[in-house]
Amino acid sequence: MGDPPADPRGTVSHPLSLRLPLLSGQGECVINASSSPPAVELHGITKRFPGVVANHDIGITVRKGTVHALVGENGAGKSTLMKILYGMQKPDEGTIAVDGEQVSFGNPGDAIARGIGMVHQHFMLADNFTVLENVVLGGEKLHGIGSAARKKIEEISDAYGLGVRPDALVENLGVADRQRVEILKVLYRGARILILDEPTAVLVPQEVDALFANLRELKAEGLTVIFISHKLGEVLSVADDITVIRRGTTVGTADPAHTTTKQLAELMVGSELPSPETRESTVTDEPMLRVEGLSLSMTDPDGVVRDVLSDVGFTIHKGEILGIAGVEGNGQTELIDALIGMKSADSGVITLGDQDISRVPTRKRRESGIGYIPEDRHRHGVLLDAPLWENRILGHVTEKPNSRGFLLDPKAARHDTVRIVREYDVRTPGIEVTAASLSGGNQQKLIVGREMSHAPKLLIAAHPTRGVDVGAQAQIWDQIRDARREGLAVLLISADLDELIGLSDTLRVMYRGQLVADADPATITPEELGSAMTGAAAGHLEAAPEDEA
Amino acid sequence: MKKLDKDRLILGFAGPALALVVAFALSTLVLLVSNRDPFELYRLLFEQASYSDVQVLIINQAGTYYLAALAVAVGFRMNLFNIGVDGQYRLAAMMAALVGASVDLPGPFQIALIVIVAMLVGAFWAGIAGILKTTRGVSEVVSTIMLNSIATSLIAWLILPKNFGDQAAGSNNLTTGDIAESGWFPGLSLGPESGEIYGFTFVAAGCGLVYWFVLNRTRFGFDLRATGASESAAQASGVDAKKMILTSMLISGAVAGLAGMPTLLGDTHTYSLDFPVGIGFTGITIALLGRNHPVGIALSSLLIAFLDKASSPLDQFGFEKEIATIMQGLIVISVVISYELVRRYGTRRQQQKVGEELAAGHALTTEKEAAL
């Protein structure tokens, strides 16, 4: 690995010698790729950036025709670095070379002109447009908007095995298909170097495999992929080279052929990778939350009435973590909304302890002991422009120490915020700064601390560690586990299957608004769970994946 | 921490200061372009403001503006744009004047009755917009603008002599009849030269205090601010958003109802065709300029009242007094732009500072900082 010697012989074109056999050992790449200048070479990049982590003296060399993974904790500076490479930010120091030539990007347009394309974590597609329309949008000058564009799209789709249908309406596409449209959009604009920001975060394991097959196709055609991730298993399976970033600087490179996830994690955080595993069972037979026959139908924008929840029923006992697996958009959000009282269900009974809360307003539900870690913390968890201590009050304004009677108690709330900051390791210079000035992980730690501070009986945790760095992740898992030992009932919804399997005592799979399958977390594998999430399996999932009850 | 606080304070003033400087520069430019001597104009304005009777006028006007701006600010804090303050205060003043003219209670009760009627009518008129928004999803911007027009027509009809109005002999003016003297709010006399400060101006100041206290020190105020900052987050935290919309519209309307009181109780003692109009719109400007902060609103009220009152004799000196209106308009534009600029700068700057402090290892971990 390391720096391939600079070789003036190389041209900008992509020599056929780079067409490697798919899935070949990485060793061969080294030999072939070193014969031309690296696709991207970042040297001494420093960015004193308004944010928690600045980039400091970063050096990365991405060889042409490889998948290069960039790993690091959230907030380590990966995104900043990619923004610099994509022309969204200007580095304060350091140089960028593309195909051996020094470049300086003023905006993403410059980067695109240089053949660099970026697929963002959050898709930027117009739902009510077809794939073709989405692809040509903003790129009308390239191949028009008619048959030439269609031909080009089909050509690209075939060349890289993307399987994109130009006339499909984007709103009818699943997450994986949308992602392929995004990749196609970038290729259509002539990108030879693709940056993928956390592309697997929204995919189930089967879809991840399909994406990786696509990436290998791209690589085989001589394209270069920079792959940002913190899922180490995936990184090892797809990457040719790995660069690890910690605290804004490159701490090392790794050869995936001779590296384990454990070693990689140690490089990444400077300590051991935590595991979400729950050790001893603390499940009691005392029900804490009983949900029976919960149904909810909603009218979608086209005026069609859809059942988003149909006849959902489950029980969570004291000391039990019930995990719900499912591809996003299958009713998990609505289930949470119905439980917390933000949407009222059409029918069904929700019982907390021995109290029927089906018709009780949200505030009463929260007062009676429901803690809530929302899936979208910016929308539901914090007030971004308010100071931390006001965010500590949010959701618990009627409870001590935040208020006495009808009056707020800012002094006590401030004092308790300091305690949360200390106990939950929220990295902040003080409690008067706004929530927006903290990194996502620290915002999440504040939310977890706040919710745990009111001794909840039931915790609804939606993606509790999403966008949180590995260290904080372990901490949040520990806190959930500790509270569970004290008798907390937890409803866990997560897209991270390892987290679900590791933490849960019981697992259910949600598909199109129904709980279609259940599984024992002790024996199930992410792959089996994944197939149930796509609706391919139902009933009780046994270790044998073909079992369709 | 202290440093961050100081920064915030400086940024808090930077917005208005920048706005005023820009507005001042633009005004000067407008005057120069139209061949007027700007400095002569400014000198005249300040000379006017040095007369004690003009000062009293300014203060009285500011009190009225203050109440209207508070009404708007309550809405703004909730992310509601109550453009209907204008209709609310006029209808409220008229109804209150009617009640005041037809009832004769002893002193404080008479005043209390008039004020309560005004608040109820204002709340009712704003409440219509609130109900339309919560039940039918009608934007309050649209409905309150329309309710302004309806209020104008309604007042014109109600004040006809065949309904509730009086027409004094030999006058074209219509009034609602005089309020009994027990309902005149005593003012603070500053001598015959200067005139009298309306007593209700002090009530207005008190309203500012209540506004601050309710918003910053009560559970209700927290819910209101939270809803304004992020409706989704507030809902998740247990705020009933619909109820909150309706409640804050009612409060905004009730405060709007007070805006006519300084004039009604302290000066005219009747609602007539020449009762001041447009206060509600000026209130929007002032709430914006004062950043919805009670002290900010007070200073802005004084500024706008100063431009109003100090400009009225300009005609005698060869200046059009509409210049003051142009200046007010320029202030509004500068305010909107400069606040947004300062806000963005402030957010970036704070993120930077937090980043720097963390990088320097100044994370908050020790007991001693708990005192902050």
Side-chain angles (χ1 to χ4, degrees), chain B residues 5-17 289-291 339 342:
Chain B
D5 280 352
K6 209 176 91 196
D7 264 15
R8 211 163 45 173
L9 204 66
I10 292 171
L11 285 175
F13 282 107
L289 182 59
R291 322 195 82 173
Y339 282 8
V342 169

Side-chain angles (χ1 to χ4, degrees), chain B residues 14-358:
Chain B
L18 181 63
L20 292 177
V21 169
V22 171
F24 184 76
L26 288 175
S27 306
T28 308
L29 196 70
V30 168
L31 287 162
L32 285 174
V33 167
S34 48
N35 262 330
R36 301 282 186 282
D37 178 4
F39 298 101
E40 173 64 11
L41 174 82
Y42 299 141
R43 194 191 61 74
L44 281 171
L45 286 179
F46 283 104
E47 187 186 279
Q48 284 297 318
S50 66
Y51 301 133
S52 63
D53 57 335
V54 177
Q55 286 167 356
V56 168
L57 287 176
I58 290 173
I59 287 175
N60 284 341
Q61 185 66 63
T64 300
Y65 283 161
Y66 190 62
L67 287 164
L70 279 187
V72 177
V74 170
F76 276 154
R77 290 310 291 263
M78 194 18 229
N79 229 351
L80 285 174
F81 195 175
N82 182 5
I83 303 188
V85 169
D86 207 63
Q88 289 147 23
Y89 92 83
R90 282 186 289 126
L91 193 65
M94 149 137 209
M95 292 294 184
L98 269 181
V99 171
S102 51
V103 181
D104 190 2
L105 295 175
F109 298 106
Q110 177 81 355
I111 291 172
L113 177 73
I114 293 171
V115 169
I116 288 169
V117 169
M119 291 176 80
L120 288 178
V121 173
F124 167 75
W125 208 242
I128 297 175
I131 287 175
L132 284 173
K133 186 172 173 87
T134 49
T135 58
R136 311 299 311 165
V138 180
S139 160
E140 78 284 359
V141 174
V142 175
S143 58
T144 51
I145 288 179
M146 292 184 167
L147 282 165
N148 279 344
S149 303
I150 298 174
T152 304
S153 311
L154 188 62
I155 291 169
W157 181 74
L158 286 173
I159 207 167
L160 288 177
K162 65 170 176 151
N163 295 315
F164 298 100
D166 279 343
Q167 186 165 17
S171 161
N172 281 331
N173 202 1
L174 298 171
T175 73
T176 53
D178 279 347
I179 295 173
E181 209 155 323
S182 60
W184 298 14
F185 205 106
L188 178 68
S189 177
L190 297 179
E193 292 283 294
S194 319
E196 201 178 73
I197 295 179
Y198 302 152
F200 213 80
T201 307
F202 299 98
V203 178
C207 286
L209 270 179
V210 173
Y211 169 90
W212 177 85
F213 185 81
V214 169
L215 275 181
N216 292 295
R217 285 289 180 269
T218 66
R219 270 165 37 177
F220 170 77
F222 184 84
D223 283 347
L224 190 143
R225 285 186 293 130
T227 315
S230 163
E231 188 173 323
S232 49
Q235 250 177 324
S237 86
V239 176
D240 182 340
K242 288 190 168 175
K243 206 171 120 191
M244 192 47 91
I245 288 170
L246 189 58
T247 316
S248 43
M249 269 321 259
L250 290 174
I251 294 176
S252 175
V255 179
L258 292 178
M261 293 301 102
T263 312
L264 183 72
L265 297 176
D267 183 16
T268 62
H269 310 301
T270 184
Y271 187 91
S272 57
L273 290 183
D274 54 2
F275 200 80
V277 294
I279 307 279
F281 297 112
T282 314
I284 297 171
T285 311
I286 294 170
L288 273 176
L289 182 59
R291 322 195 82 173
N292 303 324
H293 189 282
V295 176
I297 295 173
L299 296 175
S300 330
S301 300
L302 284 168
L303 174 70
I304 300 291
F306 157 71
L307 285 175
D308 269 4
K309 295 299 172 192
S311 68
S312 48
L314 282 182
D315 284 338
Q316 308 163 19
F317 303 96
F319 287 100
E320 295 76 4
K321 67 176 195 295
E322 284 71 22
I323 285 167
T325 316
I326 294 175
M327 288 171 77
Q328 288 175 0
L330 291 172
I331 290 176
V332 176
I333 295 180
S334 328
V335 159
V336 172
I337 295 170
S338 77
Y339 282 8
E340 183 58 23
L341 287 178
V342 169
R343 192 189 66 81
R344 287 187 194 173
Y345 172 77
T347 307
R348 266 211 318 277
R349 186 175 160 85
Q350 189 175 44
Q351 284 178 343
Q352 204 163 8
K353 281 212 171 296
V354 169
E356 274 168 18
E357 294 212 17
L358 286 179

Side-chain angles (χ1 to χ4, degrees), chain A residues 70-334:
Chain A
L70 196 61
V71 302
E73 295 186 283
N74 273 86
K78 295 175 304 214
S79 305
T80 308
L81 187 62
M82 287 304 110
K83 280 179 184 161
I84 289 173
L85 181 54
Y86 191 51
M88 292 162 79
Q89 300 272 346
K90 261 186 137 24
D92 295 329
E93 288 165 29
T95 57
I96 304 172
V98 176
D99 295 326
E101 260 179 71
Q102 289 271 348
V103 292
S104 161
F105 298 143
N107 57 55
D110 296 347
I112 292 168
R114 269 290 175 173
I116 296 177
M118 183 152 178
V119 175
H120 295 273
Q121 193 175 358
H122 301 285
F123 303 147
M124 306 192 174
L125 297 171
D127 277 2
N128 51 349
F129 276 19
T130 63
V131 169
L132 170 77
E133 287 165 343
N134 264 294
V135 171
V136 298
L137 188 65
E140 295 87 352
K141 283 188 190 153
L142 294 171
H143 307 282
I145 58 169
S147 55
R150 181 188 313 275
K151 199 163 146 267
K152 184 72 187 169
I153 290 173
E154 278 162 354
E155 220 176 275
I156 297 172
S157 174
D158 290 345
Y160 303 112
L162 293 174
V164 165
R165 291 167 294 136
D167 294 311
L169 211 52
V170 165
E171 66 182 354
N172 298 330
L173 298 183
V175 177
D177 284 328
R178 286 173 193 229
Q179 190 169 52
R180 280 193 278 272
V181 175
E182 285 280 12
I183 293 175
L184 197 142
K185 238 168 85 180
V186 168
L187 294 173
Y188 185 83
R189 283 156 177 72
R192 305 293 300 171
I193 299 163
L194 275 77
I195 306 169
L196 301 177
D197 189 5
E198 305 258 355
T200 63
V202 290
L203 304 178
V204 297
Q206 283 81 354
E207 292 169 336
V208 170
D209 290 343
L211 171 71
F212 286 0
N214 291 144
L215 295 188
R216 289 184 187 109
E217 293 261 354
L218 293 174
K219 179 168 87 170
E221 297 292 329
L223 271 64
T224 309
V225 177
I226 301 175
F227 178 87
I228 304 175
S229 184
H230 58 228
K231 293 191 178 169
L232 304 179
E234 291 173 358
V235 166
L236 288 179
S237 80
V238 74
D240 301 308
D241 302 307
I242 301 171
T243 300
V244 182
I245 293 189
R246 185 168 78 220
R247 294 184 182 219
T249 191
T250 35
V251 291
T253 55
D255 174 3
H258 309 105
T259 312
T260 64
T261 49
K262 198 161 168 286
Q263 292 165 328
L264 209 50
E266 283 169 8
L267 254 181
M268 205 162 116
V269 293
S271 65
E272 207 178 314
L273 182 69
S275 115
E277 235 138 275
T278 307
R279 273 145 206 97
E280 78 287 18
S281 171
T282 58
V283 183
T284 63
D285 50 9
E286 203 179 325
M288 194 65 234
L289 177 76
R290 276 204 315 269
V291 175
E292 290 152 280
L294 199 65
S295 296
L296 175 65
S297 58
M298 282 171 72
T299 315
D300 66 13
D302 296 332
V304 184
V305 179
R306 292 217 175 104
D307 286 339
V308 285
L309 290 178
S310 59
D311 197 23
V312 172
F314 57 86
T315 301
I316 309 179
H317 300 90
K318 277 190 172 178
E320 178 180 2
I321 298 178
L322 175 78
I324 292 191
V327 178
E328 273 174 63
N330 274 284
Q332 298 94 322
T333 309
E334 288 79 7

